[in-house]
Amino acid sequence: MSGYLDARPRVGYFYTGKSNDHILSDKVKTITVGHYKSRPVVVTESSSVYEAVTTMFLEDVGTLFVVDKLSTLSGVVSRKDLLRASLGQQSLESIPVGVIMTRMPNVTVCEDQDSIIEVAKKLINKQIDGLPIVKKVSHGSGYEVTGRITKTNMTSLLVDLANNETI
Amino acid sequence: MSGYLDARPRVGYFYTGKSNDHILSDKVKTITVGHYKSRPVVVTESSSVYEAVTTMFLEDVGTLFVVDKLSTLSGVVSRKDLLRASLGQQSLESIPVGVIMTRMPNVTVCEDQDSIIEVAKKLINKQIDGLPIVKKVSHGSGYEVTGRITKTNMTSLLVDLANNETI
């Protein structure tokens, strides 16, 4: 029943005033992105849209991260971006992914130690499926991609919470 | 503190043996699909793939439900299906969506009163983004589409749980 009663010297036990709901939300709020991340799938800026679509199918992901020559994050491309590009009249082999991606600094990123709930809010507010997890570096765009966190990870966390299996 | 202590006549209060985690999971398991559903977006089987892609962008959804002439569910088409179709050499205006969709009875469906956690597990196990919520009818395919439940709804539920705001 830990969390309901707390102890103070010379006072003894007292009721913390926390309800079930508060203890639950305290628990959920301590879970970080690093606990639930997936591996990132990256393509280079000069890859064609066709190559990006192929990579998306072969790796079975919904979001690709685009890196520059220094292997730092330069953009993000989603299924929606690729679908929009495929509506055009141009051949998908001739368009580099760098033309259609969302480019830094307009990309929302997060880090391993961020709260997973704060990231879940970002996914909803910005209407995106996934975010790159980054590590700050001193070259290129300043961000190295280390992982991926998506609405699928959020759904897994929800199932784990219901089964008392959170990490 | 409800849930931790229970009462029995001539016994008095006793500890139910439930931990925080059990009470949480009991709570989550009572939430149904109907509490968190979104409105469905449908196209007809004879719509072209081009029309389906346009509807997907205009309505800003990731999954479309396909209905037959009796307005009952005949299939589901995802961004992934449309992207795959757009890789082909054919014009998207000339392919009916009925050709590329996942067709009944291979479509997983759910109903308003189903547990949202059971549906979350289906989304993960079957690697799909969303399910149609249906009502049984006695004509056509036997299912009328009444809603849509997606990983976005699951992410919202997770945020609400963390904020003590579940419906």
Side-chain angles (χ1 to χ4, degrees):
Chain A
M1 299 220 274
S2 126
Y4 292 90
L5 296 176
D6 206 347
R8 267 192 214 128
R10 272 177 273 196
V11 172
Y13 293 99
F14 64 97
Y15 174 46
T16 56
K18 289 185 178 179
S19 69
N20 292 331
D21 289 346
H22 285 111
I23 291 175
L24 156 61
S25 64
D26 286 355
K27 180 182 170 180
V28 176
K29 282 173 183 165
T30 62
I31 302 171
T32 65
V33 164
H35 284 125
Y36 272 85
K37 69 179 172 185
S38 302
R39 70 188 169 76
V41 179
V42 301
V43 292
T44 58
E45 259 188 78
S46 55
S47 310
S48 70
V49 169
Y50 185 86
E51 282 169 325
V53 175
T54 313
T55 307
M56 203 169 256
F57 276 102
L58 293 178
E59 301 278 350
D60 201 21
V61 293
T63 311
L64 295 176
F65 305 129
V66 186
V67 295
D68 55 24
K69 284 173 187 158
L70 295 164
S71 292
T72 60
L73 182 68
S74 70
V76 168
V77 66
S78 68
R79 264 188 207 143
K80 213 167 149 178
D81 296 326
L82 294 175
L83 194 55
R84 196 184 293 110
S86 70
L87 283 184
Q89 298 303 315
Q90 267 192 289
S91 151
L92 297 183
E93 282 91 348
S94 68
I95 318 171
V97 82
V99 171
I100 63 149
M101 70 183 184
T102 303
R103 186 174 284 276
M104 290 291 286
N106 300 319
V107 176
T108 307
V109 299
C110 65
E111 293 181 77
D112 263 346
Q113 68 275 18
D114 290 349
S115 150
I116 203 160
I117 294 300
E118 292 308 312
V119 173
K121 286 181 193 167
K122 283 184 190 172
L123 293 179
I124 291 174
N125 294 339
K126 296 183 180 276
Q127 302 191 1
I128 45 182
D129 285 331
L131 284 191
I133 306 170
V134 298
K135 199 176 73 182
K136 285 189 180 119
V137 291
S138 54
H139 58 278
S141 70
Y143 293 118
E144 204 175 272
V145 185
T146 63
R148 174 171 59 96
I149 185 106
T150 67
K151 285 177 182 165
T152 305
N153 301 116
M154 300 301 172
T155 307
S156 298
L157 168 57
L158 181 68
V159 171
D160 287 353
L161 279 174
N163 292 339
N164 305 322
E165 285 170 358
T166 47
I167 298 164
Chain B
M1 298 219 276
S2 128
Y4 292 90
L5 295 177
D6 207 345
R8 264 193 215 129
R10 272 178 273 195
V11 172
Y13 293 100
F14 64 96
Y15 174 45
T16 58
K18 289 186 179 178
S19 69
N20 292 330
D21 289 346
H22 285 110
I23 291 176
L24 157 60
S25 65
D26 286 355
K27 180 183 169 179
V28 176
K29 282 173 183 165
T30 62
I31 301 172
T32 65
V33 164
H35 284 126
Y36 272 84
K37 68 179 171 185
S38 302
R39 70 189 169 76
V41 179
V42 301
V43 292
T44 58
E45 259 188 76
S46 55
S47 309
S48 71
V49 169
Y50 186 86
E51 283 169 325
V53 175
T54 314
T55 307
M56 204 169 254
F57 275 102
L58 293 178
E59 302 278 350
D60 201 21
V61 293
T63 312
L64 294 175
F65 305 129
V66 186
V67 294
D68 55 24
K69 284 172 187 160
L70 295 164
S71 291
T72 60
L73 183 68
S74 70
V76 168
V77 65
S78 67
R79 266 188 206 141
K80 212 167 150 180
D81 297 326
L82 294 175
L83 195 54
R84 195 183 294 110
S86 70
L87 282 185
Q89 298 303 314
Q90 267 194 289
S91 150
L92 297 184
E93 283 91 346
S94 68
I95 318 170
V97 81
V99 172
I100 64 151
M101 71 184 185
T102 303
R103 185 174 288 275
M104 292 289 287
N106 300 319
V107 176
T108 308
V109 300
C110 65
E111 294 183 75
D112 263 345
Q113 67 275 16
D114 290 350
S115 150
I116 203 160
I117 294 300
E118 292 308 311
V119 172
K121 286 180 194 167
K122 284 185 190 172
L123 293 179
I124 291 174
N125 294 339
K126 295 182 180 277
Q127 302 193 2
I128 46 182
D129 284 333
L131 284 190
I133 306 170
V134 299
K135 200 176 72 182
K136 284 188 181 120
V137 290
S138 55
H139 58 281
S141 71
Y143 293 120
E144 203 175 273
V145 184
T146 64
R148 173 171 59 98
I149 186 105
T150 66
K151 285 177 183 165
T152 306
N153 301 115
M154 301 302 173
T155 308
S156 297
L157 168 56
L158 181 68
V159 171
D160 287 353
L161 279 173
N163 292 339
N164 306 321
E165 284 169 359
T166 45
I167 297 165

